[in-house]
Amino acid sequence: MSKFRYSVGPWNVAEGADVYGPATRATIAFAKKVETFKRLGFDAVQFHDDDAVPEINGKSAAQISAKAKEVKKLLDNHGMAAEFVAPRLWMDEHCIDGAYTSNSAADRKYAIDRSLKSIDIARELGCDKIVLWLAREGTSCAESKDPVVAIKHLVEAVNAMLSYDKTIKILIEPKPNEPVDRSYCGTIGHVMGVSAATVDPTRVGGLLESAHAILAGLDPANEIAFGLAMGKLWGVHLNDQNGLKFDQDRSFGVENLRQGFNQIKVLVENDYGKNGEYVGLDVKAMRTTKDSAGYEHLSNSLTIAKLLEEKALKFDYGFQKKCVAERNYEALEMYVVNLLLRG
Ligand code: GLO
Ligand code: MG
């Protein structure tokens, strides 16, 4: 029995298109995905604003609220909660050069207005978390933005959200690059810096994704630990990544099992979830995956996370203490490898 509750987004079951080739699997309707997520053992769904309310730009406030209410009903019917809403700014024509940090004042305003709509949707869905994956907040041409001004704009945008709704929480999901070459908010430490600069740091925290930490050359478990130590880790996107290349969103634990173990271990040790936080799995099926196996990356990730949780619960802290006292980290390391390989 896992101590965690798990969440997933509809984008985690996708058609397999990549930048070099078209879709390889059929589209699955949102309602069908929710039903399957529940059956697989998930408790909550994560949303982009337009996953909940498609074609959001053309809709009035009343239309947005009506559509979000429909989605809430669907979730209720399946006994699923909504974890967060994330404004999908990176897809919009207004945000080609960034959203909150765009050089265009009109486009920055668009990004903030749309983020406030995400807050309205979150409220209708019964959740109090907004996730900001700052996809295009950075540059590909380094000299194209003033980085100091841009980071101040980012803080102003978060402030606008905090003032719009006095109880909403903002979770920034750091990523060092992709799609931009240099992002302004690459690690959980950057997120804490932005948080501290806002009008209400108690409502600005982080969502750490394993693959993003690896892309920053950092250990995901240590990044998780940093957020936990600050009392501001309110979400995770567990997945995996084979080295420094494009963002792979591999199934959790399949590339770096010991790192995966240490992510679960630090979450278990710190009672992550005690304030209602979910363990999100932001994983992607391989392009080669057939329709018949279209959810296996999710069920495999869940199984691996739960197996690693069992391993974390078995961890022998007495033996660890002895190794630490003797400064015998060779023995401690071998113990961990044995725990993972032999049980
Ligand atoms: C991409 C991100 C992305 C976000 C999601 C929620 O690199 O991980 O999947 O987590 O869009 O904002
Ligand atoms: Mg993510």
Side-chain angles (χ1 to χ4, degrees):
M1 190 45 195
S2 175
K3 71 180 260 151
F4 298 127
R5 292 184 306 159
Y6 289 88
S7 60
V8 60
W11 64 88
N12 295 118
V13 178
E15 293 81 6
D18 65 21
V19 278
Y20 299 104
T24 57
R25 292 181 293 276
T27 302
I28 299 173
F30 175 70
K32 186 75 200 159
K33 290 183 186 177
V34 174
E35 187 191 320
T36 314
F37 292 157
K38 180 71 187 176
R39 190 165 44 72
L40 292 176
F42 288 94
D43 301 292
V45 180
Q46 311 179 332
F47 287 90
H48 294 129
D49 51 358
D50 54 359
D51 290 325
V53 181
E55 283 150 37
I56 192 168
N57 282 343
K59 289 197 164 78
S60 67
Q63 286 168 323
I64 290 174
S65 136
K67 179 63 198 165
K69 281 196 167 81
E70 257 177 51
V71 176
K72 171 78 168 103
K73 205 175 249 169
L74 179 92
L75 291 177
D76 289 347
N77 287 343
H78 291 288
M80 293 287 261
E83 181 189 6
F84 66 67
V85 177
R88 184 150 39 191
L89 298 168
W90 56 95
M91 295 286 250
D92 197 89
E93 61 181 344
H94 297 90
C95 307
I96 291 170
D97 192 22
Y100 313 125
T101 69
S102 169
N103 280 320
S104 149
D107 291 344
R108 291 199 301 275
K109 181 172 177 330
Y110 167 83
I112 292 177
D113 289 347
R114 178 145 166 197
S115 305
L116 304 185
K117 289 182 189 169
S118 289
I119 296 178
D120 295 341
I121 296 171
R123 289 315 189 183
E124 294 290 0
L125 296 181
C127 68
D128 65 353
K129 288 182 178 139
I130 294 295
V131 165
L132 305 180
W133 169 44
L134 302 171
R136 299 191 192 278
E137 312 302 2
T139 55
S140 294
C141 172
E143 300 78 12
S144 65
K145 287 182 189 170
D146 177 329
V148 172
V149 168
I151 292 157
K152 288 184 177 168
H153 281 149
L154 172 60
V155 173
E156 282 160 21
V158 175
N159 283 343
M161 292 173 233
L162 294 169
S163 320
Y164 179 72
D165 182 314
K166 296 293 182 207
T167 56
I168 202 79
K169 294 197 181 77
I170 310 295
L171 285 63
I172 298 178
E173 178 179 350
K175 185 174 180 183
N177 62 282
E178 201 200 31
V180 287
D181 186 31
R182 302 163 193 82
S183 99
Y184 292 133
C185 210
T187 71
I188 204 81
H190 289 85
V191 171
M192 295 304 135
V194 171
S195 167
T198 63
V199 291
D200 189 356
T202 65
R203 291 194 284 132
V204 184
L207 178 152
L208 192 279
E209 173 166 322
S210 328
H212 298 179
I214 296 169
L215 286 171
L218 296 170
D219 181 280
N222 268 1
E223 286 283 279
I224 288 174
F226 195 91
L228 288 168
M230 299 296 132
K232 288 184 198 276
L233 187 85
W234 303 331
V236 288
H237 269 173
L238 298 188
N239 58 14
D240 213 345
Q241 169 76 24
N242 179 26
L244 297 180
K245 44 189 88 162
F246 62 94
D247 185 11
Q248 297 178 311
D249 295 337
R250 298 299 325 283
S251 293
F252 179 58
V254 297
E255 295 288 351
N256 302 284
L257 193 60
R258 183 173 169 194
Q259 259 184 12
F261 166 70
N262 282 317
Q263 290 171 68
I264 296 286
K265 179 170 169 287
V266 76
L267 292 172
V268 169
E269 287 171 348
N270 291 279
D271 217 4
Y272 176 83
K274 66 173 181 290
N275 301 313
E277 302 91 348
Y278 292 91
V279 172
L281 297 175
D282 196 1
V283 294
K284 192 189 268 172
M286 289 178 261
R287 186 164 188 267
T288 46
T289 300
K290 292 186 177 173
D291 290 272
S292 55
Y295 288 87
E296 278 186 22
H297 60 301
L298 282 173
S299 53
N300 292 346
S301 295
L302 256 185
T303 302
I304 293 167
K306 288 179 183 172
L307 286 170
L308 289 175
E309 191 181 338
E310 280 174 29
K311 297 285 184 189
L313 294 173
K314 272 193 185 171
F315 186 77
D316 186 345
Y317 289 92
F319 184 72
Q320 184 225 26
K321 220 170 153 196
K322 182 170 171 292
C323 293
V324 170
E326 294 168 0
R327 218 177 66 206
N328 189 350
Y329 301 157
E330 305 293 348
L332 180 57
E333 180 164 81
M334 197 57 208
Y335 162 71
V336 173
V337 171
N338 268 322
L339 176 69
L340 293 177
L341 293 181
R342 298 185 210 212

